Amino acid sequence: MADRGDYGIPIYSSAARKFHWLIVLLLLLQIPGGFYMMYRAKEMPGLNDKGEAVKGVWNGVADGGLTDTIFSGHKLFGLLILSIVVMRLLYRLTHGAPRSDPSVPAALTGISHLVHWGLYALMFATPILGYLAISYGRYLDVFGIVLPAVTGEDKKFADVVFGWHEIAATLLLSVAVLHVAAAFYHKMIRKDRVVERMLPKRTV
């Protein structure tokens, strides 16, 4: 169960808080990096091997393999995030969570639960769709290591799944922004102590 220390409200355990903030850090790197990666590969002005102006620098002479490196890093981070989310969920299911803050109305608590489980669903769906896409497209190289394929090869369908992956990432970002907005609402408008339940360090 979660430790309470000197708090007058139930808080999350130290392990749960560490999981939370580690995932936050990785998502802050992964999501903006993913959108930049796609811009760089498809839209950034560049030159091809013939010196012609093109959109997207993946194979451009000025790229120097940087885009491939960014893609490999994105895939590696995706697998890392999925692994940590699995561990976080297993911890939640086996250790439980602290009871809700009794000062918060039931309707807000219900919305909070929906947002939390929506985040879990999207944190699973986004990397899984990404892995399926690279499996269909056979884009499985990560820094020279070839990941195992889990589907047949179908590059056209890979593009479809990449689209789903991008939609899931956009939804994840949107729900995460909602989650942050709710934290500010609790802190600045309601002036309750809900945010303290997940702070890295306890402050009374």
Side-chain angles (χ1 to χ4, degrees):
M1 295 299 294
D3 55 88
R4 293 186 60 178
D6 295 325
Y7 271 70
I9 58 171
I11 68 169
Y12 284 88
S13 69
S14 175
R17 282 177 277 146
K18 287 175 182 176
F19 273 124
H20 174 84
W21 291 107
L22 177 57
I23 291 171
V24 168
L25 175 61
L26 292 174
L27 289 178
L28 283 174
L29 296 172
Q30 180 76 334
I31 295 179
F35 285 112
Y36 170 73
M37 174 186 74
M38 295 309 300
Y39 165 74
R40 182 180 181 85
K42 294 185 176 182
E43 300 295 333
M44 181 180 284
L47 299 174
N48 63 17
D49 294 338
K50 297 179 182 178
E52 300 167 331
V54 294
K55 278 189 174 182
V57 297
W58 198 332
N59 295 313
V61 294
D63 183 47
L66 177 58
T67 306
D68 278 329
T69 299
I70 295 173
F71 268 80
S72 286
H74 186 76
K75 287 179 272 190
L76 184 61
F77 261 63
L79 291 172
L80 177 61
I81 291 170
L82 179 59
S83 299
I84 294 173
V85 171
V86 168
M87 289 188 287
R88 171 69 180 99
L89 182 57
L90 288 175
Y91 182 87
R92 170 73 179 266
L93 294 175
T94 55
H95 291 76
R99 72 182 189 278
S100 299
D101 185 337
S103 73
V104 178
L108 285 181
T109 299
I111 294 171
S112 174
H113 290 328
L114 286 175
V115 170
H116 284 151
W117 288 107
L119 283 170
Y120 270 118
L122 289 167
M123 285 189 293
F124 275 104
T126 305
I128 288 172
L129 286 170
Y131 197 100
L132 289 173
I134 64 173
S135 179
Y136 277 114
R138 291 300 188 266
Y139 310 121
L140 293 161
D141 182 273
V142 177
F143 297 116
I145 299 173
V146 179
L147 301 173
V150 295
T151 66
E153 183 175 359
D154 187 337
K155 291 188 180 295
K156 288 186 178 180
F157 190 60
D159 289 338
V160 175
V161 183
F162 274 127
W164 296 343
H165 173 66
E166 186 173 348
I167 290 171
T170 302
L171 288 173
L172 175 56
L173 178 60
S174 300
V175 178
V177 169
L178 178 62
H179 182 58
V180 173
F184 276 102
Y185 170 74
H186 280 284
K187 185 69 175 177
M188 307 303 295
I189 306 300
R190 291 199 81 250
K191 299 185 184 299
D192 57 35
R193 302 182 68 192
V194 166
V195 175
E196 297 177 35
R197 289 157 50 88
M198 192 54 87
L199 288 179
K201 294 181 180 180
R202 287 181 282 172
T203 56
V204 180

